[in-house]
Amino acid sequence: TTKAATSNLQIVSVTKQAHYFEITYSNNLKARLFILADNQFRFYADPTGKFDAPAQSGDGLNAKIFTKTVDTSAAKPFDAAQLANATKGWQIQTKAITIDFDKAAATLQVLQGNKVVMAEQQPLEITADYTTQILKRSGQDHFFGGGTQNGNFTLTGKKIKIQNTNNWVDGG
């Protein structure tokens, strides 16, 4: 069943909880935004509402995606972060960044000063089979990461799948 990505999806509320900000969408999807440092955050949307650590990709593996809990590792920057109502929705302000949530568009954007450093083009799409996040392009941006993408240094302009295929060659 689809939990997000409808043309009339909206953000209903943004609230500051004990260790994170909770974002509630009009389809009952909840997300959590953890402030990790004044210039870092983790946005975690979980259709199940459990917000568990990611599952291991195979039996007997001991890889840890999260080495510290955000509840204990980022108390000072989180406590200092301010939540305010904004013209189009809500705004979370740290000493280094501003995170804007657009109520009607159901999107977020991140600014350093007046410069937009990341913005969603459309709402997050989550289904039983996949999750899609589409970011706006500025013309001067570059994208890196996405798991192991052998043979690729920059992923700018590319559509990638973030999945384990056990294929370790270029494009795998």
Side-chain angles (χ1 to χ4, degrees), residues 23-93:
I23 299 90
T24 304
Y25 293 83
S26 57
N27 61 356
N28 296 319
L29 175 69
K30 292 198 185 287
R32 292 180 180 172
L33 187 139
F34 296 91
I35 302 294
L36 305 177
D38 289 329
N39 62 351
Q40 289 182 332
F41 66 91
R42 178 183 299 147
F43 183 81
Y44 192 176
D46 184 356
T48 69
K50 295 178 185 175
F51 296 95
D52 291 332
Q56 296 293 316
S57 59
D59 292 335
L61 297 178
N62 193 21
K64 289 185 179 181
I65 292 175
F66 305 137
T67 58
K68 295 184 198 178
T69 66
V70 291
D71 294 351
T72 58
S73 67
K76 286 181 184 179
F78 172 77
D79 290 342
Q82 298 294 313
L83 173 65
N85 290 321
T87 305
K88 291 186 173 186
W90 298 269
Q91 190 173 75
I92 297 170
Q93 179 77 47

Side-chain angles (χ1 to χ4, degrees), residues 41-141:
F41 66 91
R42 178 183 299 147
F43 183 81
Y44 192 176
D46 184 356
T48 69
K50 295 178 185 175
F51 296 95
D52 291 332
Q56 296 293 316
S57 59
D59 292 335
L61 297 178
N62 193 21
K64 289 185 179 181
I65 292 175
F66 305 137
T67 58
K68 295 184 198 178
T69 66
V70 291
D71 294 351
T72 58
S73 67
K76 286 181 184 179
F78 172 77
D79 290 342
Q82 298 294 313
L83 173 65
N85 290 321
T87 305
K88 291 186 173 186
W90 298 269
Q91 190 173 75
I92 297 170
Q93 179 77 47
T94 73
K95 291 178 183 176
I97 60 173
T98 302
I99 305 163
D100 287 333
F101 290 91
D102 187 313
K103 178 179 181 172
T107 57
L108 70 87
Q109 75 172 1
V110 181
L111 298 101
Q112 283 182 320
N114 292 325
K115 182 181 178 186
V116 176
V117 294
M118 194 272 311
E120 291 179 320
Q121 184 171 314
Q122 63 190 49
L124 192 62
E125 180 181 0
I126 300 176
T127 73
D129 299 320
Y130 63 87
T131 299
T132 302
Q133 182 182 39
I134 298 176
L135 304 177
K136 289 183 182 177
R137 297 283 312 272
S138 73
Q140 297 179 336
D141 49 10

